[in-house]
Amino acid sequence: MTSAITTVLFDADGVIQRGTQDWTARLYGMVEEGVGEEFITDLMRSERPAIAGKEDFRDAIADVLTRWNATATVSEAIEPWHWFAAEPVVVDLIQKLRRSGIQCHLATNQHAYRRDIMRDDRGYDDLFDQSFYSCDLGLAKPDPAYFRAILGATGVPASSVLFIDDIPANVEGARSIGIKAEVYDLANGTDALSELLRSYELPA
């Protein structure tokens, strides 16, 4: 595949980082038996406004805990959002791309609480040329406006950008404005990511 990719956008969860503990088991244990799945669904739904920068995630969690008469404190309930780690092989691939002159940016849906963990505790800003968190943009994938905001900030034409995400809807959102985009899931192994990058004639 011939291309002129100068910029690669990487999603975070499922592409460069993975969970390190069983967070579902922890959350299930916070409510009565038999309602864990519904409780987690409510938590994920409550996360959406915070991901778009419209609400504080700690406040959203507090509301969910009250709704479900959960035994956990907000600090206990939010702890699983710390349980992730970057995959070293993927980090190395990103740095190889950057050394070759390819701009690499983080393009991720995150609320401010988790952004601060990624930025301040894990040093993600050092891994990328720029980082685009949905909570900062006030826009979230798969909204095409999210990707337009990134193009505006970088000044790069859509045709020169490759976006990699594990969620097909996000990939389609990027493609809808002319960005080249591919589905990749870290669960499929890092060799698959190397092959994907090479298919765009990128060093991997």
Side-chain angles (χ1 to χ4, degrees), residues 10 17 29 35 54 58 104 117:
F10 289 89
Q17 65 191 27
V35 300
K54 311 299 184 187
R58 293 181 67 92
C104 294
I117 298 170

Side-chain angles (χ1 to χ4, degrees), residues 12-13 16-21 78-88 91 94-95 98 106 108 110-128 131 133:
D13 296 295
I16 67 168
Q17 65 191 27
R18 65 175 99 231
T20 56
Q21 297 186 50
I78 209 169
E79 186 181 2
W81 273 262
H82 291 256
W83 296 348
F84 65 92
E87 167 54 53
V91 171
I94 293 168
Q95 301 319 304
R98 295 179 69 192
L106 180 64
T108 180
Q110 304 290 342
H111 45 68
Y113 182 86
R114 201 151 186 255
R115 175 205 62 200
D116 291 346
I117 298 170
M118 294 168 68
R119 174 172 288 163
D120 301 332
D121 296 347
R122 310 298 171 86
Y124 273 41
D125 280 358
D126 294 334
L127 304 180
F128 297 92
S131 297
Y133 294 92

Side-chain angles (χ1 to χ4, degrees), residues 2-13:
T2 301
S3 65
I5 297 299
T6 64
T7 302
V8 183
L9 308 177
F10 289 89
D11 175 43
D13 296 295

